């Protein structure tokens, strides 16, 4: 498994797999398979795939640690950029099919409807993360500041769920929202548990080191 993840073809394969949803949407649009309201279907589908890609990105670290497969980290940046890619398609679908690329109407709609405002904030953060996802940005910002910025992906996850929740509130349909919320809560909860466990271990090591240090004085 580890050898396969390190194979030169591994990244191209993942890249193609991430493009399959788009390929299906293009095909379904061309063959009239998106139902009675294809515009709404495209808007929802691109948003769904952005959220699914976000779940995959946040699953990389737990999967890497639990399975002892550090090679999985190779794909995190690519998956993160696909989150941004599908989120941009989601925005473009809304701006085109719902608003006809009328910028004043789009801005009024964003200010008027909270779920669109929240989604726009999430996309703004994703834009910052995508723009600084490259090695030059890491060197320019410094490791600590870069890591602090990229931890805002957790904020993006919260905003994405809130966007999805408010969007479905009008129809009182929260089944899918609950599924994604549970997945993201588990992924973020694992990180919190890991941090607490490491903090506890560090405090224990400090306590053990204190008597030893006192004896050497």
């Amino acid at each position: 498994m580890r050898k396969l993840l390190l194979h030169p073809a591994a990244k191209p394969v993942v890249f193609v797999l991430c493009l399959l949803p788009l390929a299906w949407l293009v095909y379904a649009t061309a063959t009239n398979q998106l139902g009675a309201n294809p515009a709404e279907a495209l808007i929802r589908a691109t948003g769904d795939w952005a959220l699914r890609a976000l779940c995959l990105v946040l699953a990389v670290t737990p999967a890497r640690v639990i399975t002892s497969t550090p090679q999985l980290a190779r794909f995190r940046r690519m998956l993160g950029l696909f989150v941004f890619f599908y989120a941009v398609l989601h925005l473009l679908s809304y701006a085109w099919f719902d608003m006809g690329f009328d910028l004043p109407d789009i801005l009024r709609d964003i200010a008027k409807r909270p779920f669109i405002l929240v989604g726009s904030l999430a996309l703004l953060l994703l834009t910052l993360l995508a723009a600084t996802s490259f090695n030059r940005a890491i060197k320019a910002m410094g490791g600590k500041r870069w890591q602090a910025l990229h931890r805002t992906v957790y904020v993006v996850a919260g905003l994405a769920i809130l966007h999805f929740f408010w969007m479905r509130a009008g129809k009182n349909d929260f089944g899918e929202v609950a599924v994604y919320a549970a997945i993201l809560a588990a992924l973020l909860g694992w990180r919190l548990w890991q941090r607490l466990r490491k903090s506890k271990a560090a405090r224990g090591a400090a306590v053990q080191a204190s008597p030893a240090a006192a004896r050497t004085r």
Side-chain angles (χ1 to χ4, degrees), residues 192-209:
L192 178 60
W193 174 71
Q194 285 286 100
R195 179 166 293 188
L196 292 174
R197 189 169 67 89
K198 289 180 181 178
S199 178
K200 184 178 179 180
R203 287 197 301 269
V207 169
Q208 290 179 356

Side-chain angles (χ1 to χ4, degrees), residues 129-160:
L129 298 182
T132 57
S133 64
F134 304 99
N135 293 334
R136 287 186 180 180
I138 300 173
K139 291 179 181 178
M141 295 179 64
K144 289 186 178 180
R145 282 188 295 177
W146 185 87
Q147 286 182 351
L149 174 62
H150 279 253
R151 286 193 186 102
T152 58
V153 68
Y154 308 141
V155 178
V156 171
L159 291 174

Side-chain angles (χ1 to χ4, degrees), residues 176-199:
E176 283 186 83
V177 179
V179 172
Y180 286 112
I183 292 171
L184 290 173
L187 294 171
L188 298 181
W190 180 88
R191 284 169 166 80
L192 178 60
W193 174 71
Q194 285 286 100
R195 179 166 293 188
L196 292 174
R197 189 169 67 89
K198 289 180 181 178
S199 178

Side-chain angles (χ1 to χ4, degrees), residues 18-72:
C18 289
L19 283 176
L20 287 180
L22 176 61
W24 160 249
L25 289 175
V26 171
Y27 171 77
T29 301
T31 56
N32 296 315
Q33 296 187 44
L34 291 177
N37 192 341
E40 182 179 357
L42 283 172
I43 294 170
R44 290 195 174 184
T46 50
D48 287 345
W49 281 108
L51 191 52
R52 289 164 188 162
L54 179 60
C55 291
L56 283 176
V57 169
L58 293 175
V60 168
T61 296
R64 176 175 60 83
V65 173
I66 293 170
T67 64
S68 299
T69 313
Q71 295 81 5
L72 287 171

Side-chain angles (χ1 to χ4, degrees), residues 79-161:
L79 292 172
L81 289 173
F82 269 106
V83 177
F84 176 68
F85 174 71
Y86 281 107
V88 169
L89 289 181
H90 182 55
L91 173 64
L92 289 176
S93 297
Y94 155 76
W96 183 7
F97 299 121
D98 266 8
M99 310 304 294
F101 285 127
D102 189 324
L103 184 58
D105 278 354
I106 292 172
L107 294 176
R108 282 193 293 269
D109 205 34
I110 290 173
K112 182 174 64 176
R113 296 202 280 180
F115 83 92
I116 299 179
L117 177 60
V118 166
S120 300
L121 291 174
L123 181 57
L124 177 61
L125 288 176
L126 282 173
T127 302
L128 291 175
L129 298 182
T132 57
S133 64
F134 304 99
N135 293 334
R136 287 186 180 180
I138 300 173
K139 291 179 181 178
M141 295 179 64
K144 289 186 178 180
R145 282 188 295 177
W146 185 87
Q147 286 182 351
L149 174 62
H150 279 253
R151 286 193 186 102
T152 58
V153 68
Y154 308 141
V155 178
V156 171
L159 291 174
I161 287 297

